[in-house]
Amino acid sequence: MRRPARRLRTALAALAVAGTLAGCGAFGDAPSQSGGEPRPEGQAIRVGLPTGVTSFANADLAVAIEKGFLSEVGLTVEAQNLRSGVSVVQGVVGGALEIGAASIEPVVNASAGGGDVAVIGAYTDKLTVSAVAPADVATAADLRGRQVGVQEVGAFREVMTRLVLQSAGLTPNDVQYIPVDAQSYNSALVDGRIQNAILQTEQAIAVQRDNPGMHTIAELDSIVPEYHYGTYFVSRAWLEANRDVAVRFMTALTRAHRFMYENKDETVRIVAATTQFDEQVISQAYDTLLTQKAVFPVNTGLDKARIKATMRRMGELGILENEPPVYEQLVDAGPVIDAVDSLGVQAGDARWR
């Protein structure tokens, strides 16, 4: 059934409110709640990831764990894979997670709705996804009347779908949204349940390799090159009590990003095991994401102009019901600035951020 624009706006508003009030986990399962007390040094912190199976874009956390960068700063991380970034925001605001990883949209909506959240860093600040379709969908304009896969209204892939549709002069009213879990997009494309999916780079490579006729109809970083993608974020109350933990966390993740650029073979091995794709696919994705596009920041990765441009684009798309937060309300760059200060700024490549 199609979702008219009014229903979409209502659903988005409900999600923004829920994101500021509730704590829930993947597929309806609620993570255990915690009190607001700071955890002792060395005790595990819970980090929520926005897909049921970790993507390459979020695999920096796996690298930081595997290489001991987190243990070296006295942290043990328990990663929890949730349904989408909306669920991760709910978990952080509700106290079930100490740190969340999510695309920027649900974090902005939570902040705009009065949620007590602060972005402290980025995983991939550049977009890493493509719109993939079967052979009979030659361009984005051919999606009119088709079934397209999304996770949740207001979550990352639905927002990216809107951008693809907009590039062809279409709106969500021109297609039929089909709810699909992130790890099921490839199978849904292959069996014909959907005729378009927003896929992470490794997903796009795998489905096109194994299914002749599947092809990319849009690269999102070409449609919106100024768009900020991934965030690490926390509640401001937690940050006030645990700023040193946030600094140590961002130090470990920054080290992981730098390691990934310098160690392809080991990175491919870790990411393949984490994402459940074979090493051939991950090697090809590595060449795209790190060698060609440099999507992982090696310094702060929090460009004020890019983040403000992203919030403006959210407003244009109609996915920001309230006034956008000012940058300083949304972002506390202090932890990652302190991390980079301790490691030294990495320079020598114009792409380094």
Side-chain angles (χ1 to χ4, degrees):
M1 183 173 65
R2 300 209 180 156
R3 296 177 180 266
R6 181 175 298 174
R7 289 184 61 195
L8 281 169
R9 288 195 295 269
T10 301
L12 282 163
L15 281 169
V17 171
T20 64
L21 298 176
C24 74
F27 314 110
D29 296 328
S32 59
Q33 295 292 320
S34 70
E37 298 301 318
R39 293 179 163 218
E41 181 174 334
Q43 188 171 343
I45 58 172
R46 292 158 298 186
V47 179
L49 301 179
T51 54
V53 176
T54 304
S55 67
F56 200 144
N58 292 125
D60 57 344
L61 183 63
V63 172
I65 294 170
E66 176 85 6
K67 297 306 300 177
F69 300 144
L70 283 157
S71 62
E72 288 176 17
V73 294
L75 299 177
T76 301
V77 165
E78 175 193 337
Q80 296 188 15
N81 290 84
L82 305 185
R83 179 180 177 88
S84 73
V86 174
S87 299
V88 177
V89 170
Q90 292 168 350
V92 169
V93 174
L97 302 165
E98 280 74 39
I99 297 176
S103 62
I104 197 169
E105 305 84 17
V107 186
V108 169
N109 268 322
S111 180
D116 182 36
V117 295
V119 172
I120 60 170
Y123 46 94
T124 55
D125 58 337
K126 295 181 180 180
L127 291 170
T128 63
V129 292
S130 309
V132 176
D136 61 339
V137 177
T139 69
D142 297 326
L143 291 173
R144 186 184 298 274
R146 303 294 188 117
Q147 296 176 308
V148 301
V150 299
Q151 285 168 277
E152 300 178 67
V153 175
F156 174 66
R157 299 197 197 215
E158 192 269 337
V159 175
M160 295 299 103
T161 298
R162 286 176 180 244
L163 287 167
V164 172
L165 295 172
Q166 185 184 66
S167 73
L170 303 177
T171 74
N173 289 332
D174 295 313
V175 298
Q176 181 179 356
Y177 277 178
I178 303 297
V180 180
D181 294 329
Q183 63 269 30
S184 301
Y185 279 107
N186 285 17
S187 60
L189 274 173
V190 172
D191 67 23
R193 279 182 288 150
I194 58 176
Q195 289 79 56
N196 182 71
I198 302 298
L199 300 184
Q200 292 286 346
T201 300
E202 66 273 17
Q203 292 177 309
I205 290 169
V207 77
Q208 292 176 80
R209 179 193 67 180
D210 298 337
N211 299 276
M214 292 291 174
H215 66 122
T216 297
I217 60 172
E219 295 283 1
L220 270 298
D221 64 340
S222 296
I223 294 176
V224 280
E226 79 288 357
Y227 203 95
H228 183 98
Y229 176 21
T231 67
Y232 284 113
F233 67 99
V234 297
S235 75
R236 286 191 177 273
W238 181 88
L239 183 58
E240 183 177 353
N242 298 276
R243 182 167 288 270
D244 180 60
V245 177
V247 172
R248 287 185 280 142
F249 180 82
M250 290 313 307
T251 300
L253 270 293
T254 302
R255 288 185 65 193
H257 293 171
R258 295 179 181 189
F259 174 89
M260 293 166 75
Y261 283 102
E262 296 170 356
N263 299 273
K264 176 180 177 179
D265 290 347
E266 196 164 1
T267 297
V268 166
R269 177 187 62 78
I270 295 169
V271 175
T274 302
T275 61
Q276 302 176 21
F277 284 92
D278 64 61
E279 291 192 11
Q280 180 184 35
V281 166
I282 297 303
S283 178
Q284 188 174 339
Y286 179 101
D287 291 341
T288 298
L289 295 176
L290 286 98
T291 305
Q292 297 174 22
K293 297 184 177 182
V295 299
F296 291 93
V298 297
N299 295 311
T300 68
L302 295 176
D303 181 84
K304 185 174 182 178
R306 178 183 285 267
I307 290 173
K308 291 177 69 174
T310 301
M311 290 193 285
R312 285 195 299 271
R313 181 59 70 113
M314 288 177 63
E316 293 166 3
L317 289 170
I319 59 172
L320 184 58
E321 288 290 315
N322 299 300
E323 286 296 312
V326 298
Y327 177 85
E328 292 74 16
Q329 176 187 343
L330 176 68
V331 176
D332 186 332
V336 72
I337 289 173
D338 287 350
V340 172
D341 284 347
S342 70
L343 295 172
V345 174
Q346 185 157 317
D349 188 319
R351 303 174 303 170
W352 294 153
R353 307 168 305 288

